[in-house]
């Protein structure tokens, strides 16, 4: 969903012909991501992630920890900044049919002009962090072969008993 959202966002700012259809996808998808990110964080606090390999250098441990904090922070911040931006612009945030979210900020054009580029910078930052995370996952899977990629991937065979 996050990758789809990033690509929809890029398409929105480059397409005049499809802008309204893309916005109609972008807004509810952002709220969906916000809800799922909160649920994921609750799950993450309740069940700790697997330990990293013991031979992993300290700087890589710190980078992994920092990237997770950034990923979760950005998955929360981007939808909230988008919601705040649209609230400051006075635009309704329709979710489905007649369901409209309440504004979280008062209408303020100056605040909107500050939040709009912030939303863009945060989106590009999230895209960069996702690429770095993907690169690290591939390094663990293809070069180190230390089981980290396997612990991240969905294991369909793990639930089967012999």
């Amino acid at each position: 969903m996050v990758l789809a959202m990033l690509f929809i966002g890029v398409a929105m700012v480059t397409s005049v012909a499809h802008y309204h259809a893309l916005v109609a996808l972008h807004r509810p998808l952002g709220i969906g991501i916000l809800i799922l990110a909160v649920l994921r964080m609750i799950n993450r606090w309740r069940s700790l992630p697997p330990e990293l390999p013991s031979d992993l250098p300290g700087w890589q441990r710190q980078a992994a920890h920092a990237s997770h904090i950034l990923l979760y922070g950005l998955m929360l911040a981007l939808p909230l900044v988008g919601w705040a931006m649209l609230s400051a612009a006075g635009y309704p945030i329709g979710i489905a049919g007649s369901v409209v979210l309440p504004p979280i900020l008062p209408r303020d054009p100056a605040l909107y002009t500050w939040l709009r580029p912030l939303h863009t910078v945060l989106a590009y930052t999230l895209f960069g962090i996702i690429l770095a995370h993907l690169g690290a996952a591939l390094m663990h899977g293809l070069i180190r072969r230390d089981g980290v990629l396997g612990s991240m991937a969905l294991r369909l065979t793990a639930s089967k008993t012999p």
Side-chain angles (χ1 to χ4, degrees):
M1 283 177 68
V2 172
L3 287 176
M5 179 63 111
L6 290 170
F7 287 115
I8 290 169
V10 168
M12 274 176 29
V13 298
T14 60
S15 172
V16 175
H18 303 290
Y19 177 79
H20 294 291
L22 293 170
V23 167
L25 286 171
H26 193 78
R27 290 177 183 170
L29 189 57
I31 298 303
I33 289 171
L34 177 62
I35 292 166
L36 290 174
V38 168
L39 292 174
R40 176 68 179 112
M41 286 181 66
I42 292 168
N43 182 52
R44 175 83 184 243
W45 287 326
R46 293 184 68 196
S47 58
L48 295 175
E51 290 291 322
L52 292 172
S54 60
D55 66 336
L56 196 64
W59 72 268
Q60 287 184 11
R61 287 178 178 280
Q62 290 174 343
H65 183 67
S67 74
H68 284 112
I69 290 171
L70 281 169
L71 282 169
Y72 285 109
L74 289 167
M75 284 189 293
L76 292 172
L78 263 163
L80 289 171
V81 168
W83 187 356
M85 177 184 74
L86 293 173
S87 296
Y91 295 130
I93 301 154
I95 300 300
S98 62
V99 178
V100 177
L101 293 176
I104 58 173
L105 288 178
R107 186 160 197 227
D108 182 349
L111 190 54
Y112 170 79
T113 59
W114 184 78
L115 290 169
R116 184 165 171 79
L118 176 63
H119 190 67
T120 301
V121 168
L122 292 176
Y124 282 122
T125 302
L126 179 59
F127 190 68
I129 295 295
I130 288 170
L131 289 177
H133 202 73
L134 178 61
L138 291 174
M139 186 265 310
H140 281 284
L142 300 174
I143 296 170
R144 286 185 52 99
R145 297 177 190 243
D146 55 10
V148 171
L149 179 61
S151 71
M152 294 168 56
L154 177 63
R155 294 182 191 222
L156 297 175
T157 59
S159 62
K160 294 180 182 177
T161 55

